Structure formats: C-alpha cells, structure tokens
Amino acid sequence: MTKLSVNINKIATIRNARGGNMPDLLQVARDCESFGADGITVHPRPDERHICRADVPALRAVLNTEFNIEGYPTKEFMDLVLRVKPHQVTLVPDKPDQLTSNHGWDTVAEQDFLRDILNDIRAAGIRSSIFIDADERMAEFAAKAGTDRVELYTGPYAELYPKNREAAIEPFVMAAKRVRSLGIGLNAGHDLSLKNLAYFIENIPCVDEVSIGHALICDALYMGLKDTIAAYKECLKVKK
Ligand code: PXP
C-alpha cells in the first residue's frame, strides 16, 4: 500500500508565529505516527520560516517511522542531511525565497550537478528522490543521474482535477509507467487532498509514498489530526 508521509511544515509555521513551543512540533510528529502516518516530511528552508535547522536532528531522535527531508541542495542543506541521516532526502529545485515548490527539476540541464549530489547521498546510505514534473524525459534523466526514486509534482493534477479529472491524471499515468519501467521508486506530492487523492491512487496504485502537508493540516482543524490521518489513509487503499 502507498505510504503516507505527513509534511509538518505548517505546524512549525504556527509555532514560530509566537516564538514559543506551541504547538510542540516533536509531539505532533509523534502523534502523527501514532495516528497511522507512515512517515514525517520536513522542508527546512534557509530563512527558517517554518522548520528550523535545530528541529531536524531533534525530529530524527524521536521519530519511529520514515523521516524524509526535502530541500534545495545548498552546501548548508547537504551538511545538515548528511549529518542527520534521514531515511530519504528529496531534492527540490526551489529558490531560497520561494513560497512553495511549484515545478520539478530540469534533470537534463542539471544532470551533472544532480549526479554529484546523489553520489554524496548514496555514500551516506540515504535513499534519494528527485522532484520532477510528470514528464517521461525528466524521469529518464533522473534515473540516469542515479536517483533511487522520483517524486512527481502533483500541483498541475490538483489544479485540473475539479474541471477534468481524466485529463488531469493522464500525464501522471504515463510518467508513472515510465518511472516503473526505469526500475526506480515513485513518490508523489503537492496539493494532494481528500478530494483528489483517492482518484490518483486508483489510477496509479504503484505509488510508493505520498507526502502531504497543507490540505491535511487544514482538514485537521475541522476533523482533528487522528481522524484526518485515518481519512487520508483510507484514500490510499486501492478499491478493487
Ligand atoms: N512535496 C514537495 C517536494 C513539497 O515541497 C511539498 C510542500 O512542502 C509537498 C510535497 C507537500 O505539498 P502540500 O503541502 O501541498 O501537501
């Protein structure tokens, strides 16, 4: 079954708004795990506007499930992940001041840069993933660069879904087939929600992991974290 990694950036955003430790990020992460999350994702950005650098080793110490750290591979980011050694590092091509990830890597143009970074991640015994658009060529060059997995950027799927879900899913089905034929793993994330997740998984049941933050934390305001995580897990069950 597809794993659910809960992105807890938004919890850190709320905490940082007042400078104290409420909500307690480590407690929320542990609660996500006990409510059924298969992993926790964080995206430490250079300006520390949500996850701070110090949160990363602290989370590593308390988590019992899979820890995924995503980010642009600056020297500072790489020093952090190689020291903390999460289970997975997801490379995203964001600029430091970017509001949120909104496109995948150009794995053709960035081939040499990515290969060197991926070598360092592999040498540390960490699984790697590269964030890409639903594009077969980008998947091919991601595999050539030596990544263990790709994460498909699902923003365009989520945007088109309410208008035409068949058209929305089509490039993702094609890209997912190509990814599988390349023998690498498949993750997906961005703007996935209770509205669009089940259809995504019904059509692409071979997804190893989805990472979900914004919509899940918004749903938790109304449904509570426990019921929300259960509802997302339910979407991941492939209906026969
Ligand atoms: N995957 C990547 C690479 C991301 O940058 C983000 C946002 O931090 C997500 C997944 C999760 O997106 P969302 O918060 O829209 O669920």
Side-chain angles (χ1 to χ4, degrees), residues 86-235:
H87 300 91
Q88 178 175 271
V89 169
T90 301
L91 302 177
V92 296
D94 293 10
K95 296 200 184 73
D97 58 348
Q98 202 159 311
L99 191 59
T100 183
S101 311
N102 59 6
H103 61 92
W105 286 97
D106 182 340
T107 55
V108 179
E110 306 276 12
Q111 182 73 198
D112 294 339
F113 173 70
L114 288 169
R115 183 175 298 109
D116 289 347
I117 300 283
L118 291 166
N119 281 341
D120 292 345
I121 294 173
R122 186 179 319 103
I126 304 167
R127 190 173 71 223
S128 57
S129 183
I130 295 185
F131 196 52
I132 60 165
D133 295 332
D135 179 310
E136 294 178 58
R137 190 164 141 82
M138 291 304 140
E140 279 159 31
F141 278 82
K144 273 192 192 153
T147 196
D148 296 312
R149 292 188 183 184
V150 291
E151 177 180 332
L152 297 182
Y153 168 50
T154 47
Y157 163 75
E159 202 182 335
L160 188 55
Y161 179 92
K163 289 176 218 115
N164 186 343
R165 65 183 195 166
E166 289 81 11
I169 197 72
E170 200 202 316
F172 288 85
V173 171
M174 303 292 287
K177 277 192 188 140
R178 189 72 193 107
V179 169
R180 281 307 183 198
S181 75
L182 291 162
I184 56 175
L186 178 63
N187 295 342
H190 223 284
D191 301 313
L192 293 174
S193 70
L194 285 178
K195 293 194 178 76
N196 60 37
L197 180 60
Y199 185 73
F200 193 86
I201 297 299
E202 272 162 42
N203 284 278
I204 312 176
C206 62
V207 178
D208 291 306
E209 175 188 292
V210 288
S211 101
I212 308 183
H214 188 76
L216 188 152
I217 301 302
C218 291
D219 290 330
L221 291 174
Y222 289 91
M223 298 162 62
L225 198 50
K226 188 175 182 183
D227 287 350
T228 300
I229 289 177
Y232 276 81
K233 293 276 291 186
E234 192 58 34
C235 294

Side-chain angles (χ1 to χ4, degrees), residues 50-64:
H50 39 66
I51 297 295
C52 303
R53 266 177 295 280
D55 292 327
V56 179
L59 281 163
R60 181 69 174 112
V62 300
L63 293 182
N64 293 312

